C-alpha cells in the first residue's frame, strides 16, 4: 500500500471576488489527507463552511490580515469541487489501496479454481441416522425383553440339567417360571392353586420337593428324564393357556 502523504498538505491559494469564474484544478489527494487552504478576499466564515460541507473541517482560523486558514479532509473518493466566490477548486480524492491491495486473493477470482461445495443431503443423512438409531434401540429393547422372558429363562435353565443336579434344578426352574408368569411365591414354598394350575401340577411340584430333600432316594436315568420332560410339558401347557387367556 502506498504511504499516505504527509499529514498536513499546505496549499496557498489566493481568491479574489473580482475574478471571472476562473477554475483551479489541483493534483490528487488520498482519502484521509488533511488539506490546508489559505483563503483571502471578501469572503465570510459561513461561506467557507458552506463550501466545505461535503468535507470534514478540522480547523478554521482567521489570521491577522483577515485571511482564513482552513484545514479539512475527505473520506469519500471521487472528484470534489469547492466553490468560493467565483473561484472553483477541484480536488480528486483517491483510495489509498493499490490494485494488489484490492485483490489479495487473485487465485479466488477464477471461478474454475474455487472450491465447489457440493449440496450434500444433510437432511437425508440425519433422518437415516435417526432411523438407524431407533431401529438399534428397538432391537436392544427386544433383546432385553426376551432375556427377561420367564419362558426363555426356563428353556435356558432346563438345558443345564444333568444327572447330578436334576432333582434340585428341574424343581427350581419350574417354580421360577411359575413365579415369573403369575407373580406367585412358589420358590418360597407357597404353593397356591391358580386358574391354570391344577392339583396334579401342585402334587408334581411337591413330589419334586420330596426328591430334592431325600438325597438317598434312588431314581433311574429314565425316571430323571421323565421328571424333566414332565416339567417341560407343564411349562408349555401353562404358556399356551396363558396366551389363550389374553
Amino acid at each position: 500500500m502506498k504511504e499516505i502523504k504527509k499529514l498536513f498538505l499546505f496549499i496557498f491559494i489566493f481568491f479574489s471576488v473580482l475574478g471571472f469564474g476562473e477554475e483551479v484544478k489541483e493534483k490528487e489527494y488520498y482519502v484521509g489527507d488533511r488539506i490546508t487552504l489559505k483563503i483571502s478576499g471578501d469572503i465570510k466564515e459561513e461561506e467557507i463552511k458552506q463550501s466545505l460541507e461535503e468535507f470534514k473541517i478540522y480547523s478554521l482560523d482567521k489570521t491577522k490580515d483577515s485571511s482564513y486558514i482552513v484545514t479539512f479532509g475527505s473520506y469519500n473518493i471521487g472528484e470534489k469541487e469547492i466553490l468560493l466566490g467565483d473561484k472553483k477548486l477541484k480536488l480528486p480524492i483517491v483510495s489509498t489501496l493499490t490494485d494488489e491491495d484490492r485483490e489479495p486473493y487473485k487465485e479466488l477470482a477464477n471461478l474454475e479454481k474455487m472450491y465447489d461445495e457440493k449440496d450434500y443431503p444433510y437432511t437425508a443423512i440425519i433422518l437415516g441416522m435417526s432411523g438407524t438409531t431407533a431401529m438399534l434401540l428397538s432391537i436392544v429393547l427386544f433383546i432385553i425383553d426376551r432375556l427377561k422372558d420367564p419362558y426363555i429363562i426356563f428353556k435356558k435353565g432346563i438345558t443345564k440339567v444333568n444327572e447330578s443336579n436334576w432333582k434340585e434344578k428341574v424343581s427350581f426352574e419350574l417354580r421360577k417360571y411359575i413365579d415369573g408368569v403369575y407373580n406367585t411365591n412358589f420358590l418360597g414354598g407357597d404353593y397356591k392353586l391358580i386358574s391354570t394350575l391344577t392339583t396334579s401340577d401342585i402334587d408334581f411340584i411337591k413330589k419334586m420337593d420330596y426328591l430334592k430333600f431325600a438325597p438317598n432316594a434312588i431314581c433311574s436315568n429314565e425316571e430323571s428324564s421323565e421328571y424333566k420332560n414332565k416339567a417341560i410339558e407343564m411349562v408349555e401347557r401353562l404358556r399356551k393357556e396363558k396366551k389363550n387367556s389374553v
Side-chain angles (χ1 to χ4, degrees):
M1 183 182 295
K2 296 180 180 179
E3 294 183 356
I4 300 176
K5 291 183 176 182
K6 293 181 179 180
L7 185 61
F8 293 95
L9 298 176
F10 293 93
I11 305 172
F12 297 96
I13 303 174
F14 294 88
F15 293 94
S16 172
V17 295
L18 300 177
F20 297 93
E22 181 181 353
E23 182 180 286
V24 181
K25 192 171 184 178
E26 295 298 330
K27 59 182 178 180
E28 293 179 341
Y29 297 94
Y30 291 112
V31 170
D33 281 350
R34 294 198 177 193
I35 305 169
T36 300
L37 297 179
K38 182 178 181 181
I39 305 172
S40 301
D42 187 10
I43 192 166
K44 297 179 180 180
E45 182 177 334
E46 290 301 321
E47 293 181 60
I48 297 174
K49 290 181 178 179
Q50 186 176 1
S51 299
L52 298 175
E53 61 182 0
E54 294 186 8
F55 297 84
K56 179 177 178 59
I57 299 176
Y58 296 102
S59 64
L60 177 58
D61 302 311
K62 191 173 185 178
T63 64
K64 294 180 180 180
D65 61 356
S66 298
S67 299
Y68 287 96
I69 300 294
V70 59
T71 300
F72 61 95
S74 176
Y75 291 93
N76 298 315
I77 61 174
E79 189 173 72
K80 307 298 180 181
E81 185 176 88
I82 301 173
L83 179 62
L84 291 168
D86 61 355
K87 297 292 183 178
K88 288 182 181 180
L89 174 63
K90 289 189 176 181
L91 298 177
I93 307 298
V94 298
S95 174
T96 58
L97 299 176
T98 64
D99 292 339
E100 292 182 356
D101 295 328
R102 292 189 184 95
E103 296 184 11
Y105 303 103
K106 292 183 179 180
E107 64 277 7
L108 298 181
N110 188 347
L111 296 179
E112 295 180 355
K113 295 182 180 180
M114 291 182 67
Y115 172 69
D116 183 19
E117 184 177 357
K118 297 181 179 179
D119 185 16
Y120 290 102
Y122 295 108
T123 302
I125 293 174
I126 293 174
L127 290 176
M129 293 177 63
S130 300
T132 302
T133 302
M135 182 179 67
L136 292 176
L137 182 60
S138 299
I139 293 174
V140 171
L141 293 176
F142 175 76
I143 293 174
I144 292 176
D145 288 341
R146 283 189 58 84
L147 292 176
K148 293 181 178 180
D149 187 346
Y151 180 73
I152 300 298
I153 295 174
F154 172 80
K155 294 289 286 186
K156 184 177 180 180
I158 205 71
T159 58
K160 297 179 181 180
V161 172
N162 54 46
E163 293 181 1
S164 61
N165 67 8
W166 71 270
K167 293 179 181 180
E168 299 85 7
K169 190 69 172 173
V170 171
S171 174
F172 175 77
E173 296 299 336
L174 177 59
R175 289 180 292 131
K176 184 166 66 172
Y177 172 78
I178 295 172
D179 287 347
V181 173
Y182 301 102
N183 195 27
T184 54
N185 189 27
F186 273 59
L187 284 173
D190 186 11
Y191 304 148
K192 293 182 178 180
L193 283 174
I194 54 179
S195 59
T196 53
L197 278 174
T198 65
T199 304
S200 298
D201 296 332
I202 300 297
D203 291 340
F204 175 74
I205 295 173
K206 290 180 177 180
K207 189 173 182 180
M208 292 291 302
D209 287 342
Y210 169 77
L211 294 174
K212 180 176 60 175
F213 293 110
N216 295 325
I218 300 175
C219 297
S220 63
N221 292 335
E222 289 78 8
E223 287 179 310
S224 63
S225 297
E226 288 178 4
Y227 281 106
K228 176 181 176 181
N229 292 334
K230 187 171 182 179
I232 294 174
E233 291 175 2
M234 183 187 299
V235 168
E236 294 293 345
R237 176 176 57 81
L238 294 175
R239 181 167 179 260
K240 184 177 179 181
E241 292 177 354
K242 184 71 174 178
K243 285 184 177 182
N244 293 334
S245 63
V246 176

